[in-house]
Amino acid sequence: MPPDTILHRSLGLAKVDFAPSHRPPSNIRVAIATVVSLVASFAADAALVAIGEAVFPATKGYVHFRFGDYSKLTVIGVIIACIAWPIVARTSSAPRWLFFRLAVAVTLLLLLPDLSILKQGQPARPVAVLMCMHLAIAFVTYNSLVHLAPLRARRRK
């Protein structure tokens, strides 16, 4: 039995036990989920920008609504999530439980820059659209990964 330390208790609470009863998703399925996540995230971003500009015409041309501006950050976030999913699957006996909570925590953390530019005087409406973009990317990426790159059953011996 491992020593009862804060680290062990914390890992236990997070369900990080390095004893999964499943195999991680296949690399090809993770690659497919990554491509789907990127394409769907770009589509969601573009749709939200179009909706934001239609509902709030004053936001047309907002600097952070340019594809080149948000696409780099979208790629970075999606790639990190797509690397994290197989790692979580290898280290937890409850990977979907843990990955969902990590996705929520990271998404909340990624809203902080939006809140920062709002505090610096950026208009609230386009910042609200940016925040919706973060939520959409998280939703798309989480669902793409857990459904298109699912856990695999243990091999029979």
Side-chain angles (χ1 to χ4, degrees):
M1 183 172 219
D4 192 26
T5 64
I6 292 174
L7 175 62
H8 286 99
R9 283 185 292 209
S10 299
L11 290 174
L13 287 173
K15 300 189 185 214
V16 175
D17 49 23
F18 302 99
S21 60
H22 56 269
R23 293 186 312 155
S26 70
N27 291 337
I28 190 71
R29 298 293 296 258
V30 172
I32 291 167
T34 301
V35 171
V36 169
S37 295
L38 286 167
V39 170
S41 292
F42 290 147
D45 286 346
L48 287 166
V49 166
I51 291 166
E53 289 179 341
V55 173
F56 309 118
T59 65
K60 263 195 193 331
Y62 183 64
V63 65
H64 297 299
F65 285 179
R66 288 182 283 180
F67 181 78
D69 195 61
Y70 65 76
S71 64
K72 292 177 216 138
L73 297 174
T74 298
V75 169
I76 292 168
V78 169
I79 297 297
I80 290 171
C82 292
I83 291 169
W85 172 233
I87 293 169
V88 170
R90 284 178 173 83
T91 59
S92 175
S93 58
R96 283 185 67 166
W97 180 92
L98 177 57
F99 192 62
F100 178 77
R101 282 151 182 80
L102 288 171
V104 169
V106 169
T107 301
L108 291 174
L109 185 66
L110 292 174
L111 293 176
L112 293 178
D114 296 331
L115 294 174
S116 174
I117 65 170
L118 182 64
K119 185 179 178 198
Q120 293 171 10
Q122 292 290 310
R125 289 176 175 168
V127 172
V129 173
L130 292 174
M131 294 173 95
C132 289
M133 291 166 71
H134 278 103
L135 298 174
I137 294 164
F139 178 81
V140 163
T141 303
Y142 173 84
N143 281 291
S144 294
L145 286 167
V146 300
H147 295 294
L148 299 177
L151 303 171
R152 297 179 292 167
R154 265 285 166 222
R155 285 191 186 130
R156 292 183 189 215
K157 294 182 183 185

